[in-house]
Amino acid sequence: MKTESSSSVVEFLEKVPLLHRLTSSSLKKIAQVLVFKRYERGDYVVGRDEEEMEGVYFILEGQAQVLGPVGEENCSEFFLKPFDYFGRGIFGNVYAVDVVAVSQLTCLLLTCDHCHLLETKPICDLDNQRSLLERILYMDPLDLNVFRGFTLPNAPALGKVFGGQFVAQGLAAASKTVEFMKLVHSLHAYFLLSGDTNSKDFNLNMLLLASTLLFSSESSLAVPIIYEVSRLRDGNNFATRRVDARQKGKTIFTLFASFQREQQGFDHLESNMPHMLPPETLVPRDEMLQRRMTDHLIPRYYRNKVATQYTAPLPIDIRFCEPNYSTEERKSPSRLKYWFKARGELSDDQALHRCVVAFASDLMYAFISSDPHRKKGMSAVPVSLDHSMWFHRPLRADDWLLFVMVNLTASQSRGLATGEMFNRKGELVVSLKQEALLKETVTSNPILDSKL
């Protein structure tokens, strides 16, 4: 770019919701290839009938209008302002709309041949044979019953340690103290305090040591979590463990887990798997979110919300069975069904597969309690309080499992949800329950400030 300095362009890009998930180095690369485009009032910037689109447009100055559904052309949500974006080619040529300048308009164009710069870091490091999930579940042994876990840079997190990571790492630590013939059949977890993902206050030498112990490919790590396992019982067929997770000297998470040696006994099944389309026919979650970020027939605030919150693809592949998302005008029912499986192949270790399922179990569980109550100007932030799982049958986390969850009730600022997981044969493999704290925050229109 020649008209603006590179630093001012990067500062602008940092305020674009679509780009919040990218690193500073990626933004600098984008800034170097952007092209200025100027339009007069009434000019068509893009048209839905165009065979090819130049690329992605970011509005620098002025306003444009998306010609939305009949009767909604004057809706404020279809007017685009600075820091908004439009154009096909963002994540493939999926959506096409007419965009017209309603004032003098200046855009920054990222041409199609440079759209690959919008891609986030891949899930698996090609230099490492282990999947991201296996690296998240890695437990560094410090003593006989003490282990150290890590929050990796590309692990799911929204400013704090993801609850499913606590459950999975705590279960992994407990499993390492139990003879391999005994597998977890139930667990009960309590989330006490938020886990810190900020490494600034932690000893740098410790982080460097942790990085070396883990995998040299990880560039940065958050404050480690220390998992201390108490061996409550070791019997012939059952074993019981308590795990306390500590960070910065505080206990922030507690898990109780019971393990059982495989035994023959009665076998029946009353719960039936609902009939759903096969996962191969459904749109992956990441692709669905990418479409929503670029569908200008969806309200602007919701597109910006998705773009701001979307970081990198999850280590779990998710396929929703039916449309289900909340906006301020559209509430979701208090139930959700989706297929999921781990990305990549896992070993045959059944303990690993159960830890992976424990990780995946908390990804969206709490949100179904708040979705039916959304209203204008409200931001609901559910927080997991406790989490219980019962494992009924052997399972594979790298094969499709159907997760059916229902919110039973919400009261006294808490919501209670139940869940069932079925394999493709229709067998019930896991039952779940979770209680979440439903925190309501009244918000106004967001101000998109620089991340710096």
Side-chain angles (χ1 to χ4, degrees):
M1 295 194 52
K2 298 180 180 179
T3 310
E4 297 282 347
S5 67
S6 178
S7 59
S8 63
V9 173
V10 171
E11 185 177 350
F12 166 82
L13 295 177
E14 287 178 331
K15 300 178 184 180
V16 177
L18 179 68
L19 307 180
H20 280 188
R21 68 195 189 284
L22 300 182
T23 63
S24 296
S25 60
S26 295
L27 296 182
K28 291 177 181 178
K29 292 178 182 178
I30 292 174
Q32 294 172 357
V33 297
L34 289 173
V35 178
F36 269 94
K37 303 284 284 188
R38 290 185 171 86
Y39 304 88
E40 297 298 324
R41 180 177 180 179
D43 288 348
Y44 268 71
V45 184
V46 298
R48 71 185 75 186
D49 296 328
E50 295 182 19
E51 295 269 335
E52 297 182 1
M53 191 68 61
E54 288 188 274
V56 184
Y57 297 79
F58 304 105
I59 296 183
L60 183 63
E61 295 176 342
Q63 281 191 331
Q65 181 181 5
V66 176
L67 299 185
V70 176
E72 297 187 1
E73 285 83 356
N74 294 322
C75 176
S76 62
E77 286 298 337
F78 293 100
F79 283 88
L80 305 178
K81 296 181 279 189
F83 310 115
D84 281 335
Y85 52 91
F86 59 92
R88 295 168 66 184
I90 299 178
F91 296 104
N93 294 332
V94 178
Y95 293 103
V97 294
D98 290 331
V99 178
V100 180
V102 294
S103 68
Q104 286 189 334
L105 181 68
T106 303
C107 297
L108 300 178
L109 171 64
L110 181 67
T111 57
C112 288
D113 53 341
H114 292 114
C115 282
H116 65 276
L117 296 175
L118 297 174
E119 298 174 1
T120 51
K121 184 177 180 181
I123 279 297
C124 295
D125 184 347
L126 296 178
D127 295 329
N128 198 305
Q129 296 301 315
R130 299 198 188 192
S131 68
L132 174 58
L133 273 171
E134 289 183 278
R135 285 182 278 158
I136 291 173
L137 292 173
Y138 173 81
M139 291 284 101
D140 179 27
L142 301 180
D143 204 341
L144 180 63
N145 299 313
V146 182
F147 304 86
R148 181 166 52 192
F150 305 91
T151 303
L152 304 185
N154 49 353
L158 289 174
K160 58 184 179 181
V161 178
F162 165 55
Q165 177 180 317
F166 276 129
V167 179
Q169 289 184 338
L171 179 57
S175 298
K176 288 184 176 296
T177 68
V178 178
E179 59 180 290
F180 74 94
M181 293 297 292
K182 293 175 183 175
L183 295 171
V184 63
H185 71 87
S186 69
L187 65 84
H188 306 275
Y190 294 89
F191 303 91
L192 307 179
L193 295 171
S194 297
D196 192 356
T197 60
N198 188 351
S199 61
K200 292 182 179 179
D201 299 328
F202 193 71
N203 185 285
L204 179 60
N205 291 329
M206 183 63 75
L207 283 178
L208 293 175
L209 173 60
S211 180
T212 302
L213 288 171
L214 234 178
F215 303 104
S216 59
S217 62
E218 305 297 345
S219 58
S220 61
L221 296 166
V223 184
I225 305 169
I226 303 301
Y227 293 88
E228 184 172 349
V229 182
S230 299
R231 302 177 184 236
L232 302 183
R233 178 176 183 266
D234 279 299
N236 291 330
N237 295 312
F238 287 87
T240 308
R241 298 291 185 264
R242 169 177 171 160
V243 183
D244 294 309
R246 296 187 175 89
Q247 196 178 59
K248 296 182 177 179
K250 297 180 179 179
T251 301
I252 59 178
F253 171 82
T254 295
L255 176 142
F256 293 88
S258 181
F259 299 78
Q260 180 189 21
R261 185 188 301 272
E262 183 179 1
Q263 293 177 285
Q264 297 299 318
F266 299 113
D267 192 342
H268 76 278
L269 180 61
E270 293 292 334
S271 185
N272 296 318
M273 182 177 75
H275 177 70
M276 291 291 150
L277 292 174
E280 294 84 1
T281 65
L282 302 174
V283 178
R285 169 188 175 272
D286 295 310
E287 181 180 339
M288 180 196 70
L289 292 178
Q290 291 166 354
R291 290 183 181 183
R292 289 179 182 173
M293 282 187 268
T294 58
D295 183 358
H296 288 80
L297 301 183
I298 290 177
R300 183 181 65 246
Y301 79 89
Y302 182 74
R303 295 198 315 274
N304 288 342
K305 176 182 177 181
V306 174
T308 302
Q309 294 180 351
Y310 180 79
T311 52
L314 294 173
I316 302 292
D317 188 355
I318 292 176
R319 310 286 177 95
F320 291 103
C321 297
E322 51 202 10
N324 188 305
Y325 66 93
S326 296
T327 68
E328 290 175 353
E329 287 80 23
R330 175 178 176 177
K331 299 177 182 180
S332 291
S334 55
R335 59 186 66 243
L336 184 62
K337 305 180 187 72
Y338 62 79
W339 295 95
F340 77 93
K341 71 171 182 175
R343 296 185 189 273
E345 293 185 7
L346 302 176
S347 69
D348 292 331
D349 183 4
Q350 184 61 202
L352 170 63
H353 287 264
R354 298 190 183 201
C355 288
V356 170
V357 167
F359 176 91
S361 66
D362 191 42
L363 283 171
M364 301 178 194
Y365 213 168
F367 288 93
I368 63 170
S369 296
S370 60
D371 281 348
H373 303 281
R374 296 198 180 273
K375 59 185 178 181
K376 190 74 172 179
M378 185 194 84
S379 175
V381 184
V383 178
S384 302
L385 293 175
D386 55 74
H387 191 87
S388 298
M389 301 180 68
W390 293 266
F391 297 84
H392 308 301
R393 293 171 176 83
L395 54 84
R396 288 200 67 92
D398 53 1
D399 194 8
W400 292 108
L401 298 171
L402 179 65
F403 195 175
V404 179
M405 59 185 78
V406 179
N407 173 245
L408 298 180
T409 183
S411 177
Q412 300 294 313
S413 76
R414 303 186 313 275
L416 178 66
T418 64
E420 294 178 319
M421 293 181 182
F422 300 87
N423 61 22
R424 298 199 67 163
K425 298 178 181 179
E427 298 172 325
L428 179 67
V429 292
V430 183
S431 296
L432 309 91
K433 280 193 176 182
Q434 186 185 87
E435 189 175 42
L437 177 66
L438 308 179
K439 301 167 67 176
E440 178 179 345
T441 304
V442 178
T443 59
S444 57
N445 292 331
I447 299 176
L448 300 176
D449 293 326
S450 170
K451 292 185 292 183
L452 300 180

